[in-house]
């Protein structure tokens, strides 16, 4: 399965912060991109272990990201 993670770099700490919007509470941080990928895989597995088959079938499917421009 493929899961979409959002990864941002925190300016103050220098850490990468990653979360999975499709899995409530699935987030972590790390010092490198390689480390954040490994930690996100662990988080996904931990979340899936707590879910039953029906819950897993209800996980939303990634549809895309859009930038919305508004004039202020």
């Amino acid at each position: 399965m493929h899961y979409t993670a959002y990864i941002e770099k925190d300016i103050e700490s220098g850490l990468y912060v990653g979360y999975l919007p499709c899995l409530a509470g699935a987030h972590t941080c790390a010092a490198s991109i390689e480390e954040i990928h490994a930690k996100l895989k662990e988080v996904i597995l931990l979340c899936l272990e707590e879910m039953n088959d029906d819950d897993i079938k209800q996980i939303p499917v990634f549809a895309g990201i859009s930038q919305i421009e508004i004039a202020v």
Side-chain angles (χ1 to χ4, degrees), residues 15-18 27-31 35-36 39:
L15 294 174
Y16 291 94
V17 178
H27 60 278
T28 190
C29 63
E35 185 181 5
I36 195 84
K39 289 178 112 180

Side-chain angles (χ1 to χ4, degrees), residues 2-64:
H2 291 259
Y3 295 92
T4 300
Y6 293 89
I7 300 171
E8 301 171 344
K9 186 165 186 176
D10 182 71
I11 301 301
E12 289 184 25
S13 68
L15 294 174
Y16 291 94
V17 178
Y19 67 96
L20 295 109
C22 67
L23 297 171
H27 60 278
T28 190
C29 63
S32 69
I33 291 291
E34 295 79 15
E35 185 181 5
I36 195 84
H37 285 172
K39 289 178 112 180
L40 285 168
K41 287 179 183 181
E42 291 176 24
V43 167
I44 292 167
L45 291 172
L46 289 170
C47 288
L48 292 176
E49 284 178 8
E50 297 297 318
M51 300 171 82
N52 63 40
D53 288 341
D54 289 334
D55 293 335
I56 292 171
K57 290 177 186 174
Q58 297 299 316
I59 295 174
V61 176
F62 177 74

